[in-house]
Short mmCIF file of all heavy atoms in Angstrom, two decimals:
data_model
loop_
_atom_site.label_atom_id
_atom_site.label_comp_id
_atom_site.label_asym_id
_atom_site.label_seq_id
_atom_site.Cartn_x
_atom_site.Cartn_y
_atom_site.Cartn_z
N LEU A 372 1.13 -8.21 -5.80
CA LEU A 372 2.50 -7.76 -5.63
C LEU A 372 2.59 -6.34 -6.16
O LEU A 372 2.25 -6.10 -7.32
CB LEU A 372 3.43 -8.68 -6.42
CG LEU A 372 4.91 -8.31 -6.54
CD1 LEU A 372 5.63 -8.58 -5.24
CD2 LEU A 372 5.56 -9.10 -7.67
N GLY A 373 3.02 -5.39 -5.34
CA GLY A 373 2.96 -4.04 -5.86
C GLY A 373 3.85 -3.01 -5.21
O GLY A 373 4.36 -3.19 -4.09
N ILE A 374 4.02 -1.91 -5.93
CA ILE A 374 4.64 -0.69 -5.43
C ILE A 374 3.50 0.25 -5.09
O ILE A 374 2.80 0.73 -5.98
CB ILE A 374 5.55 -0.06 -6.50
CG1 ILE A 374 6.68 -1.01 -6.88
CG2 ILE A 374 6.11 1.28 -6.02
CD1 ILE A 374 7.38 -0.65 -8.17
N VAL A 375 3.26 0.49 -3.81
CA VAL A 375 2.08 1.24 -3.40
C VAL A 375 2.42 2.52 -2.65
O VAL A 375 1.54 3.12 -2.04
CB VAL A 375 1.13 0.34 -2.56
CG1 VAL A 375 0.58 -0.80 -3.39
CG2 VAL A 375 1.84 -0.19 -1.31
N ASN A 376 3.68 2.91 -2.68
CA ASN A 376 4.08 4.16 -2.04
C ASN A 376 4.98 4.94 -2.98
O ASN A 376 6.09 4.50 -3.32
CB ASN A 376 4.81 3.89 -0.71
CG ASN A 376 5.18 5.17 0.01
OD1 ASN A 376 6.21 5.77 -0.26
ND2 ASN A 376 4.32 5.61 0.93
N ASN A 380 9.27 4.86 -3.84
CA ASN A 380 9.67 4.50 -5.19
C ASN A 380 10.52 5.59 -5.83
O ASN A 380 11.47 5.31 -6.56
CB ASN A 380 8.44 4.21 -6.06
CG ASN A 380 8.82 3.42 -7.30
OD1 ASN A 380 9.36 2.32 -7.20
ND2 ASN A 380 8.55 3.97 -8.47
N LYS A 464 13.06 -2.48 -5.18
CA LYS A 464 11.80 -1.78 -4.93
C LYS A 464 11.29 -2.12 -3.53
O LYS A 464 11.57 -3.20 -3.01
CB LYS A 464 10.74 -2.19 -5.96
CG LYS A 464 11.08 -1.90 -7.41
CD LYS A 464 11.12 -0.41 -7.70
CE LYS A 464 11.35 -0.13 -9.18
NZ LYS A 464 11.42 1.33 -9.45
N LEU A 465 10.56 -1.17 -2.93
CA LEU A 465 9.83 -1.49 -1.70
C LEU A 465 8.50 -2.08 -2.13
O LEU A 465 7.67 -1.40 -2.74
CB LEU A 465 9.61 -0.24 -0.85
CG LEU A 465 8.93 -0.53 0.50
CD1 LEU A 465 9.92 -1.18 1.46
CD2 LEU A 465 8.37 0.75 1.12
N LEU A 466 8.29 -3.35 -1.81
CA LEU A 466 7.13 -4.08 -2.31
C LEU A 466 6.14 -4.40 -1.20
O LEU A 466 6.52 -4.71 -0.07
CB LEU A 466 7.57 -5.39 -2.98
CG LEU A 466 8.48 -5.27 -4.20
CD1 LEU A 466 8.85 -6.67 -4.70
CD2 LEU A 466 7.81 -4.46 -5.30
N ALA A 467 4.87 -4.34 -1.55
CA ALA A 467 3.79 -4.91 -0.73
C ALA A 467 3.42 -6.22 -1.40
O ALA A 467 3.08 -6.25 -2.59
CB ALA A 467 2.60 -3.97 -0.68
N LEU A 493 7.23 -4.56 -12.88
CA LEU A 493 7.37 -3.59 -11.79
C LEU A 493 8.74 -2.92 -11.78
O LEU A 493 8.89 -1.83 -11.22
CB LEU A 493 7.13 -4.27 -10.44
CG LEU A 493 5.71 -4.75 -10.15
CD1 LEU A 493 5.65 -5.43 -8.79
CD2 LEU A 493 4.72 -3.59 -10.19
N ALA A 494 9.73 -3.55 -12.40
CA ALA A 494 11.07 -2.98 -12.39
C ALA A 494 11.14 -1.66 -13.16
O ALA A 494 12.00 -0.82 -12.89
CB ALA A 494 12.06 -3.98 -12.98
N VAL A 496 8.84 0.69 -13.21
CA VAL A 496 8.01 1.73 -12.60
C VAL A 496 8.92 2.78 -11.98
O VAL A 496 9.65 2.50 -11.02
CB VAL A 496 7.06 1.14 -11.55
CG1 VAL A 496 6.22 2.24 -10.90
CG2 VAL A 496 6.15 0.10 -12.19
N TYR A 500 5.54 6.95 -9.23
CA TYR A 500 4.40 6.17 -9.69
C TYR A 500 4.22 4.90 -8.87
O TYR A 500 5.16 4.40 -8.25
CB TYR A 500 4.56 5.83 -11.17
CG TYR A 500 4.10 6.96 -12.08
CD1 TYR A 500 4.89 8.09 -12.26
CD2 TYR A 500 2.89 6.90 -12.74
CE1 TYR A 500 4.47 9.13 -13.07
CE2 TYR A 500 2.46 7.93 -13.56
CZ TYR A 500 3.26 9.04 -13.71
OH TYR A 500 2.83 10.08 -14.51
N ASN A 501 3.00 4.40 -8.89
CA ASN A 501 2.64 3.14 -8.26
C ASN A 501 2.26 2.13 -9.32
O ASN A 501 1.85 2.50 -10.43
CB ASN A 501 1.44 3.31 -7.33
CG ASN A 501 1.76 4.00 -6.01
OD1 ASN A 501 0.93 4.02 -5.11
ND2 ASN A 501 2.92 4.61 -5.88
N ALA A 502 2.38 0.87 -8.99
CA ALA A 502 1.91 -0.20 -9.88
C ALA A 502 1.65 -1.43 -9.04
O ALA A 502 2.39 -1.73 -8.09
CB ALA A 502 2.93 -0.52 -10.96
N VAL A 503 0.59 -2.14 -9.37
CA VAL A 503 0.21 -3.35 -8.63
C VAL A 503 -0.01 -4.48 -9.62
O VAL A 503 -0.72 -4.32 -10.62
CB VAL A 503 -1.05 -3.12 -7.78
CG1 VAL A 503 -1.43 -4.40 -7.04
CG2 VAL A 503 -0.82 -2.00 -6.77
#
Side-chain angles (χ1 to χ4, degrees):
L372 172 75
I374 298 164
V375 295
N376 182 275
N380 198 58
K464 300 292 185 182
L465 184 74
L466 298 178
L493 292 178
V496 179
Y500 277 76
N501 285 191
V503 179

